[in-house]
Amino acid sequence: MTLTKKLLAASAMSLCLIGAAPPEPVFNAPADVAAIKAVEDFLATELDIDKVITAYADDAVVLDIYAPGVFKGRKAIYDGFGPQLTRIRSLNSKTPEMTIATNGKFGCAAMQIAFETTLKDGTQFRMNLRQLDALKKIDGKWKVVQQHISLPLDPKTLDAVLDAPIQPRAITWSEKPLASPSVTREKGDAEIRAFMDVGGASQGLDMLMGYYGPTDDLLVYDSLHPTALIGMKEVRDYYASIMGSYKGIKLSMPNFTVDNDGSFGVQIDTQDLTLTMNDGSTRNISLRQSDCMRRLDGKWYSFFEMISYPVDMKTNKGIMEGPGATR
């Protein structure tokens, strides 16, 4: 082949590459799953805050169990978790339930962790908490960018349930859990914000369910349900009565953080809701929510979600009434 033909062939190949569709994401590549699991195992066992903080991105956001529990950035996370960890003499943990989803750029881990803790004053207690972490590969290392930790509440008393049952179940992933990136990061962020502004104020069960899925590989931790909800039917059955209890809703989000790569998105927020109940009364509620999302056929859907209320450490009661309980 002459030099001219080689140059023409190279130019043609470059043009093809420029116009080529982005490659299909590799879903749950074993190396990425193992690396994310290693981060989670480290966070569940390490007591040295100077080591713990290295697992978080500089601008990470954490929603902790106890009010107010909103930590933005590594310094706030350090200051929030440091005093908790220094009180602990020893810690044993098991993670019977951990579900990971990743495309190699972003990853999420939804888990329930059983802790047995001894404090330095001799106090011993057990706690089964739930956690939804969003991670991002930054400079070749997986870092936590969003973290939501919660305890379920007893729906009658609003007491935080420390010993909620853990019933580990595996998700059966659909044939194509994720698609190739289809929008820019900037547009994806705007779409997810619109998703939350509209979806967070859903009226009616069908409208709400349109934001989940769209296939059955779906997991939700709701604050007033003791175990994970898995699959569209469980989520629909649980929310049916809740969505039928009010006729109007207004939403504001004092805190909102989002990131995405055009295919895989993560968001974490706090919400102030004003509900107009069926009897005409109004109710103010504040909650916290985080989602791991996928963009399929031009629309974002949540496939991992956690909804929670912060807990008052002195009373062990969930703080539900708002506004402002989660700022």
Side-chain angles (χ1 to χ4, degrees):
M1 182 182 290
T2 65
L3 178 60
T4 301
K5 288 183 178 180
K6 287 181 179 179
L7 291 173
L8 289 172
S11 297
M13 182 175 293
S14 297
L15 289 172
C16 289
L17 290 173
I18 292 171
E24 289 287 324
V26 177
F27 178 72
N28 278 5
D32 289 320
V33 171
I36 290 171
K37 186 178 184 301
V39 172
E40 299 300 348
D41 289 343
F42 167 75
L43 288 176
T45 55
E46 181 58 58
L47 295 177
D48 185 340
I49 185 60
D50 291 313
K51 295 179 180 177
V52 167
I53 200 65
T54 64
Y56 293 87
D58 290 343
D59 58 352
V61 177
V62 173
L63 299 178
D64 196 17
I65 297 172
Y66 295 102
V70 180
F71 309 144
K72 300 177 183 179
R74 290 179 73 175
K75 182 181 186 305
I77 296 168
Y78 188 101
D79 293 344
F81 283 153
Q84 298 180 40
L85 295 177
T86 57
R87 296 175 60 209
I88 298 174
R89 178 190 299 165
S90 63
L91 180 73
N92 294 315
S93 68
K94 296 180 181 178
T95 309
E97 177 178 287
M98 181 187 293
T99 307
I100 292 173
T102 178
N103 66 351
K105 297 179 181 178
F106 284 89
C108 283
M111 68 205 92
Q112 296 189 74
I113 310 173
F115 286 103
E116 295 183 1
T117 304
T118 301
L119 300 182
K120 290 178 179 177
D121 65 5
T123 302
Q124 296 180 333
F125 64 91
R126 297 184 178 186
M127 177 185 292
N128 294 345
L129 59 78
R130 48 186 56 176
Q131 187 166 314
L132 178 54
D133 285 356
L135 302 96
K136 184 177 182 179
K137 190 176 283 187
I138 300 172
D139 296 330
K141 295 183 179 181
W142 286 102
K143 299 286 186 178
V144 175
V145 291
Q146 297 175 12
Q147 184 173 75
H148 188 171
I149 310 170
S150 71
L151 290 168
L153 304 181
D154 183 306
K156 294 181 179 179
T157 65
L158 296 186
D159 288 334
V161 181
L162 301 184
D163 59 351
I166 299 178
Q167 300 173 352
R169 293 183 293 161
I171 285 182
T172 300
W173 292 105
S174 58
E175 184 177 347
K176 189 178 179 181
L178 299 174
S180 299
S182 50
V183 291
T184 63
R185 175 182 174 182
E186 291 76 16
K187 186 176 181 183
D189 285 354
E191 288 179 344
I192 293 172
R193 176 63 198 229
F195 173 106
M196 290 305 306
D197 283 335
V198 178
S202 291
Q203 291 186 234
L205 182 61
D206 288 339
M207 180 179 178
L208 175 70
M209 294 306 297
Y211 291 89
Y212 292 115
T215 46
D216 216 37
D217 41 355
L218 162 71
L219 181 151
V220 174
Y221 293 125
D222 185 86
S223 188
L224 301 179
H225 194 277
T227 58
L229 299 162
I230 294 180
M232 295 289 276
K233 184 179 186 305
E234 288 187 20
V235 174
R236 173 177 282 273
D237 289 349
Y238 173 71
Y239 284 117
S241 61
I242 297 172
M243 297 305 296
S245 66
Y246 63 88
K247 59 184 180 181
I249 182 171
K250 293 182 180 179
L251 163 71
S252 65
M253 287 187 285
N255 295 287
F256 174 78
T257 302
V258 62
D259 202 356
N260 81 98
D261 64 1
S263 169
F264 197 124
V266 297
Q267 81 83 31
I268 192 165
D269 67 68
T270 64
Q271 302 177 20
D272 289 334
L273 301 169
T274 300
L275 301 176
T276 302
M277 311 307 291
N278 289 336
D279 63 4
S281 63
T282 59
R283 186 177 182 188
N284 292 320
I285 293 176
S286 292
L287 58 80
R288 312 178 304 174
Q289 181 173 325
S290 58
D291 294 85
C292 298
M293 308 167 74
R294 53 191 167 199
R295 196 176 194 271
L296 298 173
D297 298 324
K299 181 180 176 181
W300 290 97
Y301 297 89
S302 176
F303 66 92
F304 287 166
E305 181 176 82
M306 183 183 291
I307 299 171
S308 76
Y309 299 96
V311 176
D312 183 289
M313 185 174 288
K314 293 181 179 179
T315 65
N316 198 46
K317 295 278 188 183
I319 304 172
M320 183 179 292
E321 298 296 331
T326 55
R327 296 186 184 181

